[in-house]
mmCIF file with all atom_site columns, all heavy atoms in Angstrom:
data_model
loop_
_atom_site.group_PDB
_atom_site.id
_atom_site.type_symbol
_atom_site.label_atom_id
_atom_site.label_alt_id
_atom_site.label_comp_id
_atom_site.label_asym_id
_atom_site.label_entity_id
_atom_site.label_seq_id
_atom_site.pdbx_PDB_ins_code
_atom_site.Cartn_x
_atom_site.Cartn_y
_atom_site.Cartn_z
_atom_site.occupancy
_atom_site.B_iso_or_equiv
_atom_site.pdbx_formal_charge
_atom_site.auth_seq_id
_atom_site.auth_comp_id
_atom_site.auth_asym_id
_atom_site.auth_atom_id
_atom_site.pdbx_PDB_model_num
ATOM 1  N N   . LEU A 1 96  ? 106.631 79.339 96.211  1.00 0.00 ? 96  LEU A N   1
ATOM 2  C CA  . LEU A 1 96  ? 107.788 80.168 95.887  1.00 0.00 ? 96  LEU A CA  1
ATOM 3  C C   . LEU A 1 96  ? 108.263 80.823 97.173  1.00 0.00 ? 96  LEU A C   1
ATOM 4  O O   . LEU A 1 96  ? 107.539 81.618 97.764  1.00 0.00 ? 96  LEU A O   1
ATOM 5  C CB  . LEU A 1 96  ? 107.360 81.234 94.868  1.00 0.00 ? 96  LEU A CB  1
ATOM 6  C CG  . LEU A 1 96  ? 108.331 81.593 93.752  1.00 0.00 ? 96  LEU A CG  1
ATOM 7  C CD1 . LEU A 1 96  ? 108.557 80.390 92.846  1.00 0.00 ? 96  LEU A CD1 1
ATOM 8  C CD2 . LEU A 1 96  ? 107.785 82.747 92.936  1.00 0.00 ? 96  LEU A CD2 1
ATOM 9  N N   . ALA A 1 97  ? 109.463 80.482 97.625  1.00 0.00 ? 97  ALA A N   1
ATOM 10 C CA  . ALA A 1 97  ? 109.990 81.049 98.875  1.00 0.00 ? 97  ALA A CA  1
ATOM 11 C C   . ALA A 1 97  ? 111.433 81.449 98.653  1.00 0.00 ? 97  ALA A C   1
ATOM 12 O O   . ALA A 1 97  ? 112.358 80.857 99.199  1.00 0.00 ? 97  ALA A O   1
ATOM 13 C CB  . ALA A 1 97  ? 109.864 80.034 100.006 1.00 0.00 ? 97  ALA A CB  1
ATOM 14 N N   . THR A 1 98  ? 111.624 82.480 97.846  1.00 0.00 ? 98  THR A N   1
ATOM 15 C CA  . THR A 1 98  ? 112.971 82.850 97.416  1.00 0.00 ? 98  THR A CA  1
ATOM 16 C C   . THR A 1 98  ? 113.595 83.961 98.242  1.00 0.00 ? 98  THR A C   1
ATOM 17 O O   . THR A 1 98  ? 114.792 84.201 98.144  1.00 0.00 ? 98  THR A O   1
ATOM 18 C CB  . THR A 1 98  ? 112.947 83.338 95.957  1.00 0.00 ? 98  THR A CB  1
ATOM 19 O OG1 . THR A 1 98  ? 112.198 84.559 95.898  1.00 0.00 ? 98  THR A OG1 1
ATOM 20 C CG2 . THR A 1 98  ? 112.294 82.319 95.048  1.00 0.00 ? 98  THR A CG2 1
ATOM 21 N N   . GLY A 1 99  ? 112.790 84.644 99.040  1.00 0.00 ? 99  GLY A N   1
ATOM 22 C CA  . GLY A 1 99  ? 113.297 85.830 99.713  1.00 0.00 ? 99  GLY A CA  1
ATOM 23 C C   . GLY A 1 99  ? 113.247 87.018 98.774  1.00 0.00 ? 99  GLY A C   1
ATOM 24 O O   . GLY A 1 99  ? 112.975 86.879 97.576  1.00 0.00 ? 99  GLY A O   1
ATOM 25 N N   . GLY A 1 100 ? 113.502 88.208 99.311  1.00 0.00 ? 100 GLY A N   1
ATOM 26 C CA  . GLY A 1 100 ? 113.415 89.435 98.516  1.00 0.00 ? 100 GLY A CA  1
ATOM 27 C C   . GLY A 1 100 ? 114.714 89.773 97.814  1.00 0.00 ? 100 GLY A C   1
ATOM 28 O O   . GLY A 1 100 ? 115.495 88.888 97.444  1.00 0.00 ? 100 GLY A O   1
ATOM 29 N N   . LYS A 1 101 ? 114.975 91.057 97.668  1.00 0.00 ? 101 LYS A N   1
ATOM 30 C CA  . LYS A 1 101 ? 116.184 91.518 96.993  1.00 0.00 ? 101 LYS A CA  1
ATOM 31 C C   . LYS A 1 101 ? 117.239 91.994 97.986  1.00 0.00 ? 101 LYS A C   1
ATOM 32 O O   . LYS A 1 101 ? 118.415 92.147 97.643  1.00 0.00 ? 101 LYS A O   1
ATOM 33 C CB  . LYS A 1 101 ? 115.824 92.658 96.033  1.00 0.00 ? 101 LYS A CB  1
ATOM 34 C CG  . LYS A 1 101 ? 116.893 92.980 95.019  1.00 0.00 ? 101 LYS A CG  1
ATOM 35 C CD  . LYS A 1 101 ? 116.429 94.044 94.039  1.00 0.00 ? 101 LYS A CD  1
ATOM 36 C CE  . LYS A 1 101 ? 117.543 94.377 93.032  1.00 0.00 ? 101 LYS A CE  1
ATOM 37 N NZ  . LYS A 1 101 ? 117.130 95.429 92.086  1.00 0.00 ? 101 LYS A NZ  1
#
Side-chain angles (χ1 to χ4, degrees):
L96 219 64
T98 66
K101 195 176 179 181

